[in-house]
Structure formats: C-alpha cells, structure tokens
Amino acid sequence: MPGSSSSHHVSRRAALALGLGAAASVALPGPRAAAAVSAASAVGGERLGRSGVQVASGAPRLPKLAAKAWLVADHDSGDVLASYAAHRALPPASTLKMLFADTVLPKFGRASVHKVTAADLAGIPYGSSLVGVQAGTSYTVEQLWQGVFLRSGNDAVHVLASMNGGVGETVRQMQARAKDLQANDTHVVSPDGFDHKGQVSSAYDLTLFARAGLKNDDFRGYCATKTADFPAGGKKTFQIQNTDRLLTGQGVAAYRGLIGVKNGYTSHAGNTFTGAATRGGRTLLVTVMHPASGYEAVYRETAALLDWGFAAAGRADPVGTLVTPLSEQPKGAAAAKPRAGAAGAAGAPVAAAATSHTDDWAFGGSAAVAVLAGGGLLALRRRERERPGGRRRRQG
C-alpha cells in the first residue's frame, strides 16, 4: 500500500531510525523510571523522545485530545505522522495481548486440540475478563485465540501460556520478542495485561506490536472477527462478540475500513486501544492510551486520529519512524542516531495543536490474585462479563 516513496522521504526515514540492539534488557520498576529510560533512548527518532505534541509544520490541525499518550503511523512505510508522549511508560491493560499473540500464536496450528486442566487455569488474577474456558473441556487452538482476541479472556491466555511452557516461560519469551522489536519501553510481568506492578508499555511499543502482528494472517483474521461460537461443554456452544467497539459499532459508530486490532481496560489503568484501518490503499495505525475520562473516549479519539491521519498522509513530513525488528535487519547493519539537520533534529518546527494534556498520573497497585479453576471460573465469568448496555468489566 502506498507510503511516501521518494528518495527524500526514504533518506529521512533512515535518518530517523535509531536501533538499540546492543542495549541490555532493563528491569523497569515503575512507569516514571521507564519514561526516563525511553526519553534518553528515543527509539524511532529524537522527536519521539520529546515532551509535547510532535507534528510537522503545515500539517492539518489535530483534533482535541485528552489521552496521556498517542501515536499515528503509516503501517507500510513506518512513518510516524504525529505523536504525543510516544515513549511514556503506562500500564497497557489488554493491549499487551498483542505482544502475547506476536510471541505465541505462530507456535500452534489452529486446528490443534487441547483438553484444559485445572492447572492450566491456575493463577488467573481476580477480576479478570474471562471467555468461559472450563477444565475438562477440549478446545481447538483457534477457539482459544478467539477467546483472547474477541473477549480478551485471561482464561484463554493462561491456557495458551500453559501450553507454551508456563506463564514464566511465556513472559520470558514475550520480553525477548519485545527486545527484538526494539520495544524498549515495555516490561512484561504477566501475559494477560492485568494490573501487575511494574507492567508497562508505551504508545510507540504498542504500535510496533500491532504492526508486527498484522503480518500474520491468523492474527489479522482473529482481530477482525466480530462474533464466534465458543464451546460451552458437551456439544453446546454460546456466541461471543468482539469488545472492539470501532469494529462492532456498539456504543460508537463503527469505523469504515477498520482492520482491528486490540482494546484494553482495567480499573487502575483506564482505557487503551490500538487500531488499524485501510482507506484509499493506505493503512494507518493509531494507539491511544488513557483518555481522561469516559469509556467511549478511547474509541472516539482513535477514530479522530485515524481521520486526521488519512487527511495528513502525503501532506506532513514524518516526525519519527517505526523501527524494523532486529531479526529482520541485514546482518551487520549499524544503527545510527539521527544527525543534526535531519528530520526530528532539535529545532524542527512543531505545529500548535488544539490539545490539552496533563502529565499527572498515578500508578495503581497490583490486584489481588486468586487461584481459580473449573466451575469457579465460570461463576466469575458470569459476574465479570460485560453486560448489554455498555457497563464495564474490571478488565477487557
């Protein structure tokens, strides 16, 4: 799909890219410490490490936004068209499941069958969103991933993690995958995205996860699925619906051309969303993290930024770039910091935007963890499932 193809923009993107393959993995104690690390590293270009809205002079006027961090990028070229606090470390909620899928999804054939045990369901945090996986019931891998993508089911996540060698091993693999993607703001504590202390990501990193995931046909298919039939034991099934409101049109207008990808919510973290949409042969990625208030705000701000991005594409120079995974770079490729005078260098013009942001944010404590299995999970699912009319679950 068309991006900017001129040699001017190619060299500009090359100058913006900053690889950090030699950097050691850093254990991040909390969001403020992580923010300091990311500001210094500025993966994707120096301007992405700055505070304030980053957008090229002469670009269309940005919509009014309340999110604590956001980013708009071209999926194919990797050009970042505009951003705010791109590397700010914030709790990702269930958008972290994109990294879980990037890591685990390629490992099991979708037709493979797994009979769930109580041990598979141990350690799911209390208050989790659940799809209704039952111990003693067999599921295909496809059905488990539908539970992850459509209902953000932490029960399905823990079963797949158990199949992958356990939660600890899956966390290790996810952190390694994040490092390969150069998602250096991300610190993984659990594969489900729940409110675990120190579990953080950023608008930039979540966008990298979505871009990587959409290269996989199964990932793309799952995140675009609106409804599916899920096993209820025996030969019975029940219908599950995708909680991505821009896809289904529940509560907000469905966004024309939307591909997916993943929404998230916890009571401590607030709402997060990464969306991708295609119009006129161009695909854009938008991540919005933690609008000030309102359950629909994350979807409305994502839609507004997608509209802005389609209007700005081809009219605004990039302010940064989505870097290439280390594993996809040519052997011996040297990463260089952008030189003065390149796009994103100090002094580049920044257009004023009709946005109002506050930097105050308090990190919520970790949730209590209960060991839940079998029938107990079903009871919790019934209690925590989002009810008709848009009432919230604790996590989604």
Side-chain angles (χ1 to χ4, degrees), residues 94-134:
S94 287
T95 49
L96 190 66
K97 289 181 172 78
M98 293 188 294
L99 177 60
F100 173 68
D102 285 344
T103 305
V104 178
L105 194 153
K107 297 187 177 186
F108 304 103
R110 60 191 300 157
S112 299
V113 176
H114 178 76
K115 187 173 183 178
V116 174
T117 68
D120 293 336
L121 298 171
I124 299 172
Y126 179 81
S128 288
S129 55
L130 304 171
V131 65
V133 176
Q134 302 179 63

PDB file of all heavy atoms in Angstrom, residues 94-134:
ATOM      1  N   SER A  94      -5.124  -4.796  28.387  1.00  0.00           N
ATOM      2  CA  SER A  94      -5.138  -5.968  27.499  1.00  0.00           C
ATOM      3  C   SER A  94      -4.524  -5.725  26.125  1.00  0.00           C
ATOM      4  O   SER A  94      -4.420  -6.673  25.346  1.00  0.00           O
ATOM      5  CB  SER A  94      -6.568  -6.488  27.337  1.00  0.00           C
ATOM      6  OG  SER A  94      -6.983  -7.128  28.519  1.00  0.00           O
ATOM      7  N   THR A  95      -4.128  -4.488  25.814  1.00  0.00           N
ATOM      8  CA  THR A  95      -3.398  -4.308  24.557  1.00  0.00           C
ATOM      9  C   THR A  95      -2.069  -5.061  24.590  1.00  0.00           C
ATOM     10  O   THR A  95      -1.496  -5.342  23.534  1.00  0.00           O
ATOM     11  CB  THR A  95      -3.144  -2.811  24.275  1.00  0.00           C
ATOM     12  OG1 THR A  95      -2.606  -2.190  25.447  1.00  0.00           O
ATOM     13  CG2 THR A  95      -4.423  -2.109  23.852  1.00  0.00           C
ATOM     14  N   LEU A  96      -1.575  -5.417  25.782  1.00  0.00           N
ATOM     15  CA  LEU A  96      -0.356  -6.223  25.867  1.00  0.00           C
ATOM     16  C   LEU A  96      -0.563  -7.606  25.263  1.00  0.00           C
ATOM     17  O   LEU A  96       0.404  -8.279  24.888  1.00  0.00           O
ATOM     18  CB  LEU A  96       0.096  -6.351  27.319  1.00  0.00           C
ATOM     19  CG  LEU A  96       1.490  -6.956  27.550  1.00  0.00           C
ATOM     20  CD1 LEU A  96       2.564  -6.022  27.002  1.00  0.00           C
ATOM     21  CD2 LEU A  96       1.737  -7.238  29.014  1.00  0.00           C
ATOM     22  N   LYS A  97      -1.814  -8.015  25.120  1.00  0.00           N
ATOM     23  CA  LYS A  97      -2.091  -9.308  24.496  1.00  0.00           C
ATOM     24  C   LYS A  97      -1.635  -9.335  23.034  1.00  0.00           C
ATOM     25  O   LYS A  97      -1.477 -10.416  22.455  1.00  0.00           O
ATOM     26  CB  LYS A  97      -3.576  -9.642  24.599  1.00  0.00           C
ATOM     27  CG  LYS A  97      -4.042  -9.982  26.031  1.00  0.00           C
ATOM     28  CD  LYS A  97      -5.527 -10.327  26.051  1.00  0.00           C
ATOM     29  CE  LYS A  97      -5.993 -10.853  27.403  1.00  0.00           C
ATOM     30  NZ  LYS A  97      -6.192  -9.807  28.403  1.00  0.00           N
ATOM     31  N   MET A  98      -1.433  -8.163  22.411  1.00  0.00           N
ATOM     32  CA  MET A  98      -0.863  -8.158  21.059  1.00  0.00           C
ATOM     33  C   MET A  98       0.540  -8.744  21.075  1.00  0.00           C
ATOM     34  O   MET A  98       0.917  -9.511  20.183  1.00  0.00           O
ATOM     35  CB  MET A  98      -0.847  -6.740  20.488  1.00  0.00           C
ATOM     36  CG  MET A  98      -2.215  -6.154  20.219  1.00  0.00           C
ATOM     37  SD  MET A  98      -2.152  -4.566  19.335  1.00  0.00           S
ATOM     38  CE  MET A  98      -1.359  -3.509  20.566  1.00  0.00           C
ATOM     39  N   LEU A  99       1.345  -8.397  22.074  1.00  0.00           N
ATOM     40  CA  LEU A  99       2.685  -8.965  22.198  1.00  0.00           C
ATOM     41  C   LEU A  99       2.603 -10.445  22.528  1.00  0.00           C
ATOM     42  O   LEU A  99       3.404 -11.252  22.019  1.00  0.00           O
ATOM     43  CB  LEU A  99       3.470  -8.215  23.271  1.00  0.00           C
ATOM     44  CG  LEU A  99       4.880  -8.751  23.578  1.00  0.00           C
ATOM     45  CD1 LEU A  99       5.772  -8.707  22.340  1.00  0.00           C
ATOM     46  CD2 LEU A  99       5.504  -7.984  24.738  1.00  0.00           C
ATOM     47  N   PHE A 100       1.656 -10.829  23.374  1.00  0.00           N
ATOM     48  CA  PHE A 100       1.443 -12.249  23.665  1.00  0.00           C
ATOM     49  C   PHE A 100       1.163 -13.018  22.374  1.00  0.00           C
ATOM     50  O   PHE A 100       1.746 -14.081  22.121  1.00  0.00           O
ATOM     51  CB  PHE A 100       0.285 -12.394  24.645  1.00  0.00           C
ATOM     52  CG  PHE A 100      -0.142 -13.813  24.904  1.00  0.00           C
ATOM     53  CD1 PHE A 100       0.680 -14.700  25.576  1.00  0.00           C
ATOM     54  CD2 PHE A 100      -1.390 -14.257  24.478  1.00  0.00           C
ATOM     55  CE1 PHE A 100       0.283 -16.011  25.810  1.00  0.00           C
ATOM     56  CE2 PHE A 100      -1.798 -15.559  24.715  1.00  0.00           C
ATOM     57  CZ  PHE A 100      -0.958 -16.445  25.382  1.00  0.00           C
ATOM     58  N   ALA A 101       0.288 -12.477  21.529  1.00  0.00           N
ATOM     59  CA  ALA A 101      -0.031 -13.143  20.262  1.00  0.00           C
ATOM     60  C   ALA A 101       1.167 -13.135  19.317  1.00  0.00           C
ATOM     61  O   ALA A 101       1.444 -14.140  18.648  1.00  0.00           O
ATOM     62  CB  ALA A 101      -1.236 -12.477  19.605  1.00  0.00           C
ATOM     63  N   ASP A 102       1.897 -12.013  19.236  1.00  0.00           N
ATOM     64  CA  ASP A 102       3.104 -11.966  18.410  1.00  0.00           C
ATOM     65  C   ASP A 102       4.052 -13.096  18.784  1.00  0.00           C
ATOM     66  O   ASP A 102       4.734 -13.672  17.925  1.00  0.00           O
ATOM     67  CB  ASP A 102       3.851 -10.634  18.616  1.00  0.00           C
ATOM     68  CG  ASP A 102       3.186  -9.457  17.926  1.00  0.00           C
ATOM     69  OD1 ASP A 102       2.333  -9.687  17.051  1.00  0.00           O
ATOM     70  OD2 ASP A 102       3.537  -8.314  18.264  1.00  0.00           O
ATOM     71  N   THR A 103       4.109 -13.409  20.069  1.00  0.00           N
ATOM     72  CA  THR A 103       5.079 -14.369  20.589  1.00  0.00           C
ATOM     73  C   THR A 103       4.613 -15.808  20.461  1.00  0.00           C
ATOM     74  O   THR A 103       5.388 -16.693  20.065  1.00  0.00           O
ATOM     75  CB  THR A 103       5.360 -14.056  22.080  1.00  0.00           C
ATOM     76  OG1 THR A 103       5.771 -12.695  22.212  1.00  0.00           O
ATOM     77  CG2 THR A 103       6.438 -14.968  22.641  1.00  0.00           C
ATOM     78  N   VAL A 104       3.354 -16.072  20.795  1.00  0.00           N
ATOM     79  CA  VAL A 104       2.888 -17.453  20.956  1.00  0.00           C
ATOM     80  C   VAL A 104       2.078 -17.963  19.778  1.00  0.00           C
ATOM     81  O   VAL A 104       2.094 -19.163  19.471  1.00  0.00           O
ATOM     82  CB  VAL A 104       2.063 -17.570  22.268  1.00  0.00           C
ATOM     83  CG1 VAL A 104       1.525 -18.975  22.461  1.00  0.00           C
ATOM     84  CG2 VAL A 104       2.924 -17.172  23.469  1.00  0.00           C
ATOM     85  N   LEU A 105       1.361 -17.087  19.090  1.00  0.00           N
ATOM     86  CA  LEU A 105       0.425 -17.526  18.056  1.00  0.00           C
ATOM     87  C   LEU A 105       1.074 -18.416  16.987  1.00  0.00           C
ATOM     88  O   LEU A 105       0.460 -19.414  16.563  1.00  0.00           O
ATOM     89  CB  LEU A 105      -0.255 -16.310  17.418  1.00  0.00           C
ATOM     90  CG  LEU A 105      -1.494 -16.568  16.554  1.00  0.00           C
ATOM     91  CD1 LEU A 105      -2.402 -15.340  16.573  1.00  0.00           C
ATOM     92  CD2 LEU A 105      -1.118 -16.863  15.111  1.00  0.00           C
ATOM     93  N   PRO A 106       2.309 -18.122  16.510  1.00  0.00           N
ATOM     94  CA  PRO A 106       2.881 -18.957  15.450  1.00  0.00           C
ATOM     95  C   PRO A 106       3.248 -20.375  15.890  1.00  0.00           C
ATOM     96  O   PRO A 106       3.594 -21.203  15.039  1.00  0.00           O
ATOM     97  CB  PRO A 106       4.143 -18.180  15.043  1.00  0.00           C
ATOM     98  CG  PRO A 106       3.962 -16.791  15.560  1.00  0.00           C
ATOM     99  CD  PRO A 106       3.154 -16.949  16.810  1.00  0.00           C
ATOM    100  N   LYS A 107       3.169 -20.685  17.172  1.00  0.00           N
ATOM    101  CA  LYS A 107       3.720 -21.945  17.673  1.00  0.00           C
ATOM    102  C   LYS A 107       2.765 -23.125  17.593  1.00  0.00           C
ATOM    103  O   LYS A 107       3.199 -24.277  17.680  1.00  0.00           O
ATOM    104  CB  LYS A 107       4.182 -21.762  19.121  1.00  0.00           C
ATOM    105  CG  LYS A 107       5.302 -20.746  19.258  1.00  0.00           C
ATOM    106  CD  LYS A 107       5.833 -20.724  20.667  1.00  0.00           C
ATOM    107  CE  LYS A 107       7.009 -19.756  20.759  1.00  0.00           C
ATOM    108  NZ  LYS A 107       7.638 -19.809  22.098  1.00  0.00           N
ATOM    109  N   PHE A 108       1.478 -22.886  17.455  1.00  0.00           N
ATOM    110  CA  PHE A 108       0.495 -23.970  17.477  1.00  0.00           C
ATOM    111  C   PHE A 108      -0.442 -23.850  16.283  1.00  0.00           C
ATOM    112  O   PHE A 108      -0.964 -22.769  16.007  1.00  0.00           O
ATOM    113  CB  PHE A 108      -0.326 -23.926  18.774  1.00  0.00           C
ATOM    114  CG  PHE A 108       0.501 -23.969  20.032  1.00  0.00           C
ATOM    115  CD1 PHE A 108       0.728 -22.812  20.762  1.00  0.00           C
ATOM    116  CD2 PHE A 108       1.063 -25.156  20.466  1.00  0.00           C
ATOM    117  CE1 PHE A 108       1.487 -22.836  21.916  1.00  0.00           C
ATOM    118  CE2 PHE A 108       1.832 -25.200  21.619  1.00  0.00           C
ATOM    119  CZ  PHE A 108       2.054 -24.049  22.347  1.00  0.00           C
ATOM    120  N   GLY A 109      -0.675 -24.956  15.591  1.00  0.00           N
ATOM    121  CA  GLY A 109      -1.622 -24.971  14.493  1.00  0.00           C
ATOM    122  C   GLY A 109      -3.029 -24.699  14.988  1.00  0.00           C
ATOM    123  O   GLY A 109      -3.425 -25.191  16.058  1.00  0.00           O
ATOM    124  N   ARG A 110      -3.801 -23.957  14.222  1.00  0.00           N
ATOM    125  CA  ARG A 110      -5.117 -23.525  14.689  1.00  0.00           C
ATOM    126  C   ARG A 110      -6.081 -24.687  14.874  1.00  0.00           C
ATOM    127  O   ARG A 110      -7.042 -24.590  15.645  1.00  0.00           O
ATOM    128  CB  ARG A 110      -5.689 -22.480  13.745  1.00  0.00           C
ATOM    129  CG  ARG A 110      -5.881 -22.934  12.316  1.00  0.00           C
ATOM    130  CD  ARG A 110      -6.202 -21.761  11.399  1.00  0.00           C
ATOM    131  NE  ARG A 110      -7.426 -21.088  11.810  1.00  0.00           N
ATOM    132  CZ  ARG A 110      -7.728 -19.821  11.500  1.00  0.00           C
ATOM    133  NH1 ARG A 110      -6.853 -19.097  10.812  1.00  0.00           N
ATOM    134  NH2 ARG A 110      -8.845 -19.292  11.878  1.00  0.00           N
ATOM    135  N   ALA A 111      -5.842 -25.805  14.205  1.00  0.00           N
ATOM    136  CA  ALA A 111      -6.733 -26.965  14.326  1.00  0.00           C
ATOM    137  C   ALA A 111      -6.332 -27.897  15.471  1.00  0.00           C
ATOM    138  O   ALA A 111      -7.076 -28.841  15.788  1.00  0.00           O
ATOM    139  CB  ALA A 111      -6.771 -27.740  13.020  1.00  0.00           C
ATOM    140  N   SER A 112      -5.182 -27.642  16.107  1.00  0.00           N
ATOM    141  CA  SER A 112      -4.742 -28.483  17.222  1.00  0.00           C
ATOM    142  C   SER A 112      -5.752 -28.414  18.362  1.00  0.00           C
ATOM    143  O   SER A 112      -6.356 -27.366  18.599  1.00  0.00           O
ATOM    144  CB  SER A 112      -3.370 -28.032  17.722  1.00  0.00           C
ATOM    145  OG  SER A 112      -2.404 -28.140  16.696  1.00  0.00           O
ATOM    146  N   VAL A 113      -5.919 -29.522  19.074  1.00  0.00           N
ATOM    147  CA  VAL A 113      -6.906 -29.610  20.148  1.00  0.00           C
ATOM    148  C   VAL A 113      -6.188 -29.781  21.486  1.00  0.00           C
ATOM    149  O   VAL A 113      -5.219 -30.547  21.602  1.00  0.00           O
ATOM    150  CB  VAL A 113      -7.875 -30.784  19.908  1.00  0.00           C
ATOM    151  CG1 VAL A 113      -8.850 -30.933  21.074  1.00  0.00           C
ATOM    152  CG2 VAL A 113      -8.636 -30.584  18.602  1.00  0.00           C
ATOM    153  N   HIS A 114      -6.684 -29.071  22.497  1.00  0.00           N
ATOM    154  CA  HIS A 114      -6.113 -29.171  23.843  1.00  0.00           C
ATOM    155  C   HIS A 114      -7.233 -29.354  24.853  1.00  0.00           C
ATOM    156  O   HIS A 114      -8.197 -28.580  24.869  1.00  0.00           O
ATOM    157  CB  HIS A 114      -5.314 -27.907  24.185  1.00  0.00           C
ATOM    158  CG  HIS A 114      -4.744 -27.905  25.569  1.00  0.00           C
ATOM    159  ND1 HIS A 114      -3.639 -28.650  25.914  1.00  0.00           N
ATOM    160  CD2 HIS A 114      -5.141 -27.253  26.706  1.00  0.00           C
ATOM    161  CE1 HIS A 114      -3.351 -28.452  27.201  1.00  0.00           C
ATOM    162  NE2 HIS A 114      -4.255 -27.618  27.701  1.00  0.00           N
ATOM    163  N   LYS A 115      -7.104 -30.387  25.694  1.00  0.00           N
ATOM    164  CA  LYS A 115      -8.071 -30.589  26.780  1.00  0.00           C
ATOM    165  C   LYS A 115      -7.574 -29.829  28.003  1.00  0.00           C
ATOM    166  O   LYS A 115      -6.487 -30.094  28.523  1.00  0.00           O
ATOM    167  CB  LYS A 115      -8.230 -32.072  27.095  1.00  0.00           C
ATOM    168  CG  LYS A 115      -9.343 -32.348  28.106  1.00  0.00           C
ATOM    169  CD  LYS A 115      -9.580 -33.856  28.275  1.00  0.00           C
ATOM    170  CE  LYS A 115     -10.741 -34.117  29.227  1.00  0.00           C
ATOM    171  NZ  LYS A 115     -11.021 -35.572  29.363  1.00  0.00           N
ATOM    172  N   VAL A 116      -8.358 -28.888  28.473  1.00  0.00           N
ATOM    173  CA  VAL A 116      -7.946 -27.985  29.539  1.00  0.00           C
ATOM    174  C   VAL A 116      -7.990 -28.687  30.887  1.00  0.00           C
ATOM    175  O   VAL A 116      -8.935 -29.423  31.197  1.00  0.00           O
ATOM    176  CB  VAL A 116      -8.843 -26.729  29.557  1.00  0.00           C
ATOM    177  CG1 VAL A 116      -8.531 -25.843  30.760  1.00  0.00           C
ATOM    178  CG2 VAL A 116      -8.665 -25.947  28.267  1.00  0.00           C
ATOM    179  N   THR A 117      -6.947 -28.448  31.700  1.00  0.00           N
ATOM    180  CA  THR A 117      -6.886 -28.961  33.056  1.00  0.00           C
ATOM    181  C   THR A 117      -7.036 -27.807  34.048  1.00  0.00           C
ATOM    182  O   THR A 117      -6.883 -26.636  33.696  1.00  0.00           O
ATOM    183  CB  THR A 117      -5.550 -29.668  33.311  1.00  0.00           C
ATOM    184  OG1 THR A 117      -4.491 -28.698  33.293  1.00  0.00           O
ATOM    185  CG2 THR A 117      -5.283 -30.735  32.253  1.00  0.00           C
ATOM    186  N   ALA A 118      -7.286 -28.146  35.304  1.00  0.00           N
ATOM    187  CA  ALA A 118      -7.372 -27.119  36.340  1.00  0.00           C
ATOM    188  C   ALA A 118      -6.048 -26.381  36.479  1.00  0.00           C
ATOM    189  O   ALA A 118      -6.015 -25.173  36.744  1.00  0.00           O
ATOM    190  CB  ALA A 118      -7.777 -27.755  37.672  1.00  0.00           C
ATOM    191  N   ALA A 119      -4.933 -27.090  36.289  1.00  0.00           N
ATOM    192  CA  ALA A 119      -3.611 -26.456  36.386  1.00  0.00           C
ATOM    193  C   ALA A 119      -3.426 -25.384  35.317  1.00  0.00           C
ATOM    194  O   ALA A 119      -2.756 -24.372  35.557  1.00  0.00           O
ATOM    195  CB  ALA A 119      -2.516 -27.517  36.278  1.00  0.00           C
ATOM    196  N   ASP A 120      -4.014 -25.596  34.145  1.00  0.00           N
ATOM    197  CA  ASP A 120      -3.927 -24.588  33.075  1.00  0.00           C
ATOM    198  C   ASP A 120      -4.554 -23.270  33.504  1.00  0.00           C
ATOM    199  O   ASP A 120      -4.163 -22.202  33.024  1.00  0.00           O
ATOM    200  CB  ASP A 120      -4.650 -25.065  31.809  1.00  0.00           C
ATOM    201  CG  ASP A 120      -3.991 -26.251  31.139  1.00  0.00           C
ATOM    202  OD1 ASP A 120      -2.779 -26.450  31.337  1.00  0.00           O
ATOM    203  OD2 ASP A 120      -4.701 -26.984  30.426  1.00  0.00           O
ATOM    204  N   LEU A 121      -5.543 -23.340  34.394  1.00  0.00           N
ATOM    205  CA  LEU A 121      -6.323 -22.166  34.768  1.00  0.00           C
ATOM    206  C   LEU A 121      -5.886 -21.556  36.102  1.00  0.00           C
ATOM    207  O   LEU A 121      -6.508 -20.612  36.584  1.00  0.00           O
ATOM    208  CB  LEU A 121      -7.812 -22.543  34.844  1.00  0.00           C
ATOM    209  CG  LEU A 121      -8.423 -23.036  33.525  1.00  0.00           C
ATOM    210  CD1 LEU A 121      -9.818 -23.593  33.764  1.00  0.00           C
ATOM    211  CD2 LEU A 121      -8.469 -21.909  32.501  1.00  0.00           C
ATOM    212  N   ALA A 122      -4.814 -22.090  36.680  1.00  0.00           N
ATOM    213  CA  ALA A 122      -4.348 -21.580  37.970  1.00  0.00           C
ATOM    214  C   ALA A 122      -3.695 -20.211  37.807  1.00  0.00           C
ATOM    215  O   ALA A 122      -3.063 -19.920  36.795  1.00  0.00           O
ATOM    216  CB  ALA A 122      -3.358 -22.564  38.585  1.00  0.00           C
ATOM    217  N   GLY A 123      -3.859 -19.356  38.822  1.00  0.00           N
ATOM    218  CA  GLY A 123      -3.129 -18.093  38.866  1.00  0.00           C
ATOM    219  C   GLY A 123      -3.742 -16.960  38.077  1.00  0.00           C
ATOM    220  O   GLY A 123      -3.105 -15.925  37.886  1.00  0.00           O
ATOM    221  N   ILE A 124      -4.981 -17.103  37.610  1.00  0.00           N
ATOM    222  CA  ILE A 124      -5.631 -16.008  36.887  1.00  0.00           C
ATOM    223  C   ILE A 124      -6.023 -14.919  37.885  1.00  0.00           C
ATOM    224  O   ILE A 124      -6.676 -15.204  38.890  1.00  0.00           O
ATOM    225  CB  ILE A 124      -6.873 -16.512  36.127  1.00  0.00           C
ATOM    226  CG1 ILE A 124      -6.472 -17.575  35.099  1.00  0.00           C
ATOM    227  CG2 ILE A 124      -7.599 -15.355  35.445  1.00  0.00           C
ATOM    228  CD1 ILE A 124      -7.652 -18.251  34.445  1.00  0.00           C
ATOM    229  N   PRO A 125      -5.657 -13.672  37.654  1.00  0.00           N
ATOM    230  CA  PRO A 125      -5.964 -12.621  38.631  1.00  0.00           C
ATOM    231  C   PRO A 125      -7.462 -12.454  38.847  1.00  0.00           C
ATOM    232  O   PRO A 125      -8.256 -12.511  37.902  1.00  0.00           O
ATOM    233  CB  PRO A 125      -5.363 -11.358  37.981  1.00  0.00           C
ATOM    234  CG  PRO A 125      -4.326 -11.861  37.044  1.00  0.00           C
ATOM    235  CD  PRO A 125      -4.850 -13.164  36.529  1.00  0.00           C
ATOM    236  N   TYR A 126      -7.834 -12.230  40.104  1.00  0.00           N
ATOM    237  CA  TYR A 126      -9.239 -11.992  40.425  1.00  0.00           C
ATOM    238  C   TYR A 126      -9.715 -10.709  39.746  1.00  0.00           C
ATOM    239  O   TYR A 126      -9.030  -9.688  39.760  1.00  0.00           O
ATOM    240  CB  TYR A 126      -9.421 -11.865  41.941  1.00  0.00           C
ATOM    241  CG  TYR A 126     -10.846 -11.582  42.328  1.00  0.00           C
ATOM    242  CD1 TYR A 126     -11.783 -12.616  42.396  1.00  0.00           C
ATOM    243  CD2 TYR A 126     -11.263 -10.285  42.603  1.00  0.00           C
ATOM    244  CE1 TYR A 126     -13.096 -12.366  42.740  1.00  0.00           C
ATOM    245  CE2 TYR A 126     -12.581 -10.021  42.949  1.00  0.00           C
ATOM    246  CZ  TYR A 126     -13.491 -11.069  43.015  1.00  0.00           C
ATOM    247  OH  TYR A 126     -14.799 -10.806  43.343  1.00  0.00           O
ATOM    248  N   GLY A 127     -10.902 -10.753  39.164  1.00  0.00           N
ATOM    249  CA  GLY A 127     -11.439  -9.601  38.451  1.00  0.00           C
ATOM    250  C   GLY A 127     -11.112  -9.608  36.976  1.00  0.00           C
ATOM    251  O   GLY A 127     -11.442  -8.661  36.268  1.00  0.00           O
ATOM    252  N   SER A 128     -10.458 -10.671  36.499  1.00  0.00           N
ATOM    253  CA  SER A 128     -10.090 -10.753  35.088  1.00  0.00           C
ATOM    254  C   SER A 128     -11.312 -10.855  34.179  1.00  0.00           C
ATOM    255  O   SER A 128     -12.359 -11.376  34.580  1.00  0.00           O
ATOM    256  CB  SER A 128      -9.215 -11.990  34.834  1.00  0.00           C
ATOM    257  OG  SER A 128      -7.924 -11.850  35.344  1.00  0.00           O
ATOM    258  N   SER A 129     -11.155 -10.389  32.957  1.00  0.00           N
ATOM    259  CA  SER A 129     -12.139 -10.690  31.921  1.00  0.00           C
ATOM    260  C   SER A 129     -11.934 -12.139  31.492  1.00  0.00           C
ATOM    261  O   SER A 129     -10.803 -12.600  31.325  1.00  0.00           O
ATOM    262  CB  SER A 129     -11.967  -9.747  30.730  1.00  0.00           C
ATOM    263  OG  SER A 129     -10.637  -9.799  30.242  1.00  0.00           O
ATOM    264  N   LEU A 130     -13.026 -12.861  31.321  1.00  0.00           N
ATOM    265  CA  LEU A 130     -12.982 -14.291  31.021  1.00  0.00           C
ATOM    266  C   LEU A 130     -13.912 -14.608  29.863  1.00  0.00           C
ATOM    267  O   LEU A 130     -14.953 -13.976  29.706  1.00  0.00           O
ATOM    268  CB  LEU A 130     -13.402 -15.103  32.249  1.00  0.00           C
ATOM    269  CG  LEU A 130     -12.613 -14.859  33.543  1.00  0.00           C
ATOM    270  CD1 LEU A 130     -13.284 -15.557  34.721  1.00  0.00           C
ATOM    271  CD2 LEU A 130     -11.173 -15.324  33.392  1.00  0.00           C
ATOM    272  N   VAL A 131     -13.517 -15.610  29.077  1.00  0.00           N
ATOM    273  CA  VAL A 131     -14.384 -16.039  27.984  1.00  0.00           C
ATOM    274  C   VAL A 131     -15.226 -17.233  28.391  1.00  0.00           C
ATOM    275  O   VAL A 131     -16.275 -17.493  27.801  1.00  0.00           O
ATOM    276  CB  VAL A 131     -13.558 -16.348  26.715  1.00  0.00           C
ATOM    277  CG1 VAL A 131     -12.637 -17.542  26.916  1.00  0.00           C
ATOM    278  CG2 VAL A 131     -14.457 -16.565  25.508  1.00  0.00           C
ATOM    279  N   GLY A 132     -14.809 -17.976  29.415  1.00  0.00           N
ATOM    280  CA  GLY A 132     -15.586 -19.115  29.884  1.00  0.00           C
ATOM    281  C   GLY A 132     -14.954 -20.459  29.606  1.00  0.00           C
ATOM    282  O   GLY A 132     -15.665 -21.450  29.395  1.00  0.00           O
ATOM    283  N   VAL A 133     -13.616 -20.525  29.630  1.00  0.00           N
ATOM    284  CA  VAL A 133     -12.925 -21.803  29.458  1.00  0.00           C
ATOM    285  C   VAL A 133     -13.165 -22.676  30.685  1.00  0.00           C
ATOM    286  O   VAL A 133     -13.078 -22.211  31.818  1.00  0.00           O
ATOM    287  CB  VAL A 133     -11.410 -21.564  29.255  1.00  0.00           C
ATOM    288  CG1 VAL A 133     -10.669 -22.906  29.178  1.00  0.00           C
ATOM    289  CG2 VAL A 133     -11.156 -20.750  27.990  1.00  0.00           C
ATOM    290  N   GLN A 134     -13.463 -23.975  30.452  1.00  0.00           N
ATOM    291  CA  GLN A 134     -13.760 -24.905  31.533  1.00  0.00           C
ATOM    292  C   GLN A 134     -12.743 -26.039  31.569  1.00  0.00           C
ATOM    293  O   GLN A 134     -12.405 -26.612  30.528  1.00  0.00           O
ATOM    294  CB  GLN A 134     -15.146 -25.522  31.337  1.00  0.00           C
ATOM    295  CG  GLN A 134     -16.287 -24.534  31.258  1.00  0.00           C
ATOM    296  CD  GLN A 134     -17.608 -25.238  31.031  1.00  0.00           C
ATOM    297  OE1 GLN A 134     -18.063 -26.029  31.857  1.00  0.00           O
ATOM    298  NE2 GLN A 134     -18.239 -24.968  29.892  1.00  0.00           N
TER     299      GLN A 134
END
